[in-house]
């Protein structure tokens, strides 16, 4: 199943391996509303489980509002950001800053998926749980 998000800017799918794949169209500018829509879609599909997420951010600009929404939302157990350029690497680093959820940057989808394969799904914590209980693994070290 695939969902088209943000008026065609993104496509979200959940693969048989239990990894969400979110691909943003090159040249897109992600606004806060786009982030809200994507987080809600992932949350609805995952039905109370935190699953790993691969996001293709190749040639995508992310507004501060979108970044802040992603950082404030605990909706996955790990994130692999895939890009192609040094600009994508900078965007990925900016998106990771201040977040305790395991994240890594990759230039290869294959490597990103291999890294995510080691991240198991976990249950969404109750309302009294602290944010450190959300992510199942320690923070990842950034990779190539």
């Amino acid at each position: 199943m695939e969902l088209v998000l943000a008026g065609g800017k993104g496509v979200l799918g959940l693969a048989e391996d239990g990894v969400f794949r979110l691909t943003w169209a090159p040249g897109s500018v992600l606004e806060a509303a786009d982030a809200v829509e994507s987080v809600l879609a992932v949350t609805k599909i995952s039905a109370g489980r935190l699953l790993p997420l691969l996001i293709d951010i190749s040639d995508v600009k992310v507004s501060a509002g979108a970044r802040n929404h992603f950082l404030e939302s605990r909706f996955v157990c790990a994130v692999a950001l895939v890009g192609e350029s040094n600009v994508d690497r900078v965007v990925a680093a900016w998106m990771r800053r201040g977040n305790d959820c395991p994240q890594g940057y990759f230039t290869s989808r294959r490597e990103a998926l291999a890294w995510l394969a080691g991240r198991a799904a976990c249950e969404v914590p109750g309302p009294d749980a602290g944010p450190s209980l959300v992510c199942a693994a320690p923070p990842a070290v950034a990779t190539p």
Side-chain angles (χ1 to χ4, degrees):
M1 164 176 72
E2 288 190 340
L3 296 175
V4 176
L5 301 175
K9 291 182 194 177
V11 176
L12 174 69
L14 178 58
E16 289 182 19
D17 60 4
V19 175
F20 278 106
R21 287 160 174 80
L22 176 56
T23 302
W24 295 108
S28 294
V29 177
L30 302 184
E31 301 295 341
D34 304 327
V36 168
E37 182 180 348
S38 63
V39 169
L40 287 174
V42 168
T43 303
K44 184 175 181 179
I45 294 169
S46 63
R49 294 180 305 148
L50 298 177
L51 301 172
L53 171 65
L54 180 145
I55 306 175
D56 189 331
I57 59 164
S58 300
D59 190 31
V60 172
K61 294 175 179 55
V62 181
S63 72
R67 174 194 179 263
N68 291 340
H69 186 73
F70 283 129
L71 289 177
E72 294 165 0
S73 303
R74 301 296 187 220
F75 63 108
V76 295
C77 64
V79 178
L81 299 159
V82 178
E84 299 173 351
S85 69
N86 287 333
V87 172
D88 296 338
R89 184 181 303 273
V90 170
V91 169
W94 181 61
M95 288 183 68
R96 289 192 313 258
R97 188 171 166 207
N99 191 336
D100 62 351
C101 188
Q103 296 185 35
Y105 175 79
F106 303 87
T107 56
S108 158
R109 288 178 73 92
R110 184 177 45 70
E111 290 175 10
L113 288 169
W115 180 79
L116 286 172
R119 309 292 189 245
C122 56
E123 296 299 315
V124 175
D128 297 329
S132 62
L133 300 176
V134 175
C135 297
V141 175
T143 58

